[in-house]
Amino acid sequence: MISEKMNEAFNTQLKHEMFSSNLYLSMVAYFEEIGLKGFANWMRVQVQEENAHAMGLFDYVLSRGGSVTVSAIDKPENQWKCALDCFEAVYKHEQLVTKLINELVDVAEQEKDRAAVSFLQWYIKEQVEEEENCSDICAKLRLIGDDKHALLLIDQELGARTYVAPVIG
Ligand code: OFO
């Protein structure tokens, strides 16, 4: 069983994960439009990851006898000044998601829902990785400044990212 409060908190996080997916989908379009296909590929993988995060919550709620509510998603941004501006937005967004996951764990602790606390450990660890990945890319982009050749090398590197379905929980 899952408490009503816990159920609602999971449904809210489901909405945030779907927003993340749409935000990164918007970034796929941005990078495709400016001709950075490797960056676009990185974002395509990110969309798949966010969908997996959302489905992990979706399946967990159902497995605990809860009720899933799929909400309307806010429209994400669709324009950025450059690759660095875009990745700084990713980093900021992932920091927000970390905060939201921590708050979700707070609810689980208040509700004394040990199973939810345990399940959410995966999301806590995932956020460490999410923040690190985009912060590393921001650092590289800052380092290269206006060097277009170096930008294309990073594009090539990001083009090699492949999606590996996570085992959540
Ligand atoms: Fe990007 O980690 Fe989920 O939202």
Side-chain angles (χ1 to χ4, degrees), residues 29 34 50 57 67 110 147 157:
I34 63 170
E50 298 302 348
L57 301 171
S67 167
Q110 284 154 16
D147 185 339
E157 186 191 321

Side-chain angles (χ1 to χ4, degrees), residues 15 18-19 22-23 71-77:
K15 177 182 168 168
M18 291 312 297
F19 176 81
N22 275 6
L23 174 65
S71 305
I73 311 292
D74 293 338
K75 185 173 179 279
E77 291 291 311

Side-chain angles (χ1 to χ4, degrees), residues 25-37 40 44 78-80:
L25 188 59
S26 187
M27 290 174 174
V28 171
Y30 167 71
F31 281 119
E32 289 283 354
E33 281 163 23
I34 63 170
L36 290 173
K37 294 205 174 283
R44 281 177 196 268
N78 60 7
Q79 280 306 315
W80 293 272

Side-chain angles (χ1 to χ4, degrees), residues 125-138:
K125 282 194 221 126
E126 176 71 0
Q127 280 314 118
V128 173
E129 205 181 293
E130 293 273 79
E131 284 192 28
E132 188 183 7
N133 287 345
C134 50
S135 142
D136 284 354
I137 295 169
C138 283

Side-chain angles (χ1 to χ4, degrees), residues 135-164:
S135 142
D136 284 354
I137 295 169
C138 283
K140 279 187 192 170
L141 289 170
R142 267 186 223 108
L143 202 66
I144 66 166
D146 290 333
D147 185 339
K148 294 268 188 292
H149 180 69
L151 181 67
L152 291 177
L153 287 178
I154 297 178
D155 188 58
Q156 209 169 47
E157 186 191 321
L158 300 188
R161 186 184 191 196
T162 54
Y163 177 64
V164 180

